[in-house]
Amino acid sequence: MLRNGLEPWHLLIVAVVMMVLFGSKKLPDTARSLGKSLRILKSETRAMRGDGAREAESPRPEAEERGVSRAEQVSPGAASG
């Protein structure tokens, strides 16, 4: 009965139901926004992986271990005003 999960005619039925529920005018906008969301998610996961890899490769500077922020390292006099 349920040997392959989804067959092509199942996808056709889902497409027809989507057309009936949302209408043909909203589907392109919905697909476009879904595509943008997926691109953002993909780029953010790449950035997170890259940050994790960079942190694992580079040793931490002594100033960060003492609790001194990067802004204080660069310009200690500029922060006070």
Side-chain angles (χ1 to χ4, degrees), residues 15-16 38 48 70 77 79:
V16 169
L38 289 176
M48 289 177 68
R70 189 168 296 270

Side-chain angles (χ1 to χ4, degrees), residues 69 71-81:
S69 69
E72 291 173 344
Q73 287 177 353
V74 174
S75 57
S80 61

Side-chain angles (χ1 to χ4, degrees), residues 3 8 14 19 24 27 30 32-35 43 54 56 58-59 65 67-68 72 78 80:
R3 54 196 146 105
V14 169
M19 289 286 288
S24 61
L27 280 178
T30 305
R32 191 174 301 115
S33 64
L34 180 64
S43 67
R54 273 187 246 125
S58 63
E65 290 176 3
V68 178
E72 291 173 344
S80 61

Side-chain angles (χ1 to χ4, degrees), residues 19-75:
M19 289 286 288
V20 169
L21 287 177
F22 294 110
S24 61
K25 291 184 180 181
K26 281 201 168 204
L27 280 178
D29 294 335
T30 305
R32 191 174 301 115
S33 64
L34 180 64
K36 285 181 184 178
S37 299
L38 289 176
R39 268 185 255 130
I40 291 170
L41 177 67
K42 196 174 187 180
S43 67
E44 291 296 324
T45 54
R46 279 188 194 148
M48 289 177 68
R49 286 182 187 161
D51 289 345
R54 273 187 246 125
E55 287 177 4
E57 289 175 359
S58 63
R60 292 177 47 187
E62 292 178 22
E64 286 184 11
E65 290 176 3
R66 288 182 282 154
V68 178
S69 69
R70 189 168 296 270
E72 291 173 344
Q73 287 177 353
V74 174
S75 57

